[in-house]
Amino acid sequence: MAKCVEVTGAGEIPLTAWEYPADPHRHTDPEYAGPATRSAVLMLHGLMGRASHWAATARSLAPGRRVVALDQRGHGRSAKPEGPYSREAYVADAEAVIEQLNLGPVAVIGHSMGALTGWQLAARRPDLVSAVVICDMRASALGEESQREWEAWFKSWPLPFTTLADVRRWFGEDDPRIERARPSRGEFFAELMEERGDGWRPVFARRHMLRSREAWVHDAHWDELSQVRCPALVVRGWDGELGRAEAQEMVRVLPRGAYAEIPEAGYLAPWDQPEAWRAVVGDFLDEAARKSPPSQPTAL
């Protein structure tokens, strides 16, 4: 079971992180390094997501590593202030968590918005980041039309949902944004709902999500990508929002970039094809650790 850890983000914002303990029954390797020498991993969810989405990946990485997942501001169990939801705030939060929990240098695994935070942090604080996984996040600006489409999409949600089964059905089958049924998407969104007096509603405020998107709607992030000096893996699902051409250009721009595709997966590749995702990420982190200089032990 994950341990809940209360931390403080930028501007004294209360944040909730979750630490996944290594399972002692899985430590069959006689060369396994104990807790004092484990490398660290920080997992950052995407827009609307939450730390609990990373549970399966975290458990797969925990043997031999110290794994922490963060509920970012406005998400999960962390505080939901009216602002700011700027790129600077998200990056400063991640920086604060790494320092407060003594994680650095840490491998950052990010999905979508969390991936952008990961590479921005790696560019600004190379001393804190040993490797970064970038899953389905574009470096190009999306444009104002993208924001209008999201506003319309949010308004189309048939809130409140009567049951979680209704949540799974709408996001996994009935949502007009998808072309075919995606049960994993339904499960993903079911985890983002909480029961209230009138039914099931999202744990986040949709206005906060729109503010969070503004930074990549209007701005491109190629320059910061080029400043990431640690090993970096760009991962996309075959049917994801990050296209192959842009993903490969991101790898070219990254000084130490690598590329991977997850077959039969979309934007939610870690949940569409979890075994393939975990294999790709685990292999990358192992290889990055072999190529990186030794660091100081990470304390619990």
Side-chain angles (χ1 to χ4, degrees), residues 116-147:
L116 177 56
T117 299
W119 90 60
Q120 289 182 320
L121 177 64
R124 300 177 193 185
R125 291 293 307 272
D127 57 310
L128 293 183
V129 183
S130 61
V132 61
V133 176
I134 300 167
C135 181
D136 218 300
M137 182 63 203
R138 299 182 60 186
S140 300
L142 302 184
E144 185 61 37
E145 180 60 27
S146 171
Q147 193 76 330

Side-chain angles (χ1 to χ4, degrees), residues 167-175 177-189 237-241 262-269 271-273:
V167 175
R168 296 185 181 96
R169 182 169 53 253
W170 197 83
F171 287 102
E173 301 176 21
D174 299 338
D175 185 347
R177 284 175 62 93
I178 60 175
E179 297 179 353
R180 58 185 176 87
R182 288 191 177 275
S184 60
R185 189 174 187 266
E187 292 294 338
F188 184 92
F189 277 91
W238 281 2
D239 194 27
E241 295 184 11
I262 306 294
E264 304 301 321
Y267 168 72
L268 298 176
W271 303 278
D272 288 341
Q273 297 293 336

Side-chain angles (χ1 to χ4, degrees), residues 10-11 13 73-74 81-90 93 211-212:
I13 295 297
R73 63 172 57 207
E82 283 306 308
Y85 288 99
S86 63
R87 284 285 82 226
E88 290 73 18
Y90 280 112
D93 286 347
R211 291 175 195 165
S212 298

Side-chain angles (χ1 to χ4, degrees), residues 9-61:
E12 301 301 312
I13 295 297
L15 302 174
T16 299
W18 304 86
E19 184 159 357
Y20 289 81
D23 182 350
H25 300 294
R26 298 177 64 181
H27 298 161
T28 57
D29 186 345
E31 297 184 359
Y32 165 70
T37 58
R38 285 186 292 158
S39 59
V41 176
L42 176 65
M43 310 189 77
L44 300 176
H45 58 74
L47 188 74
M48 302 182 293
R50 62 187 307 168
S52 60
H53 279 139
W54 290 122
T57 301
R59 286 192 292 268
S60 75
L61 296 175

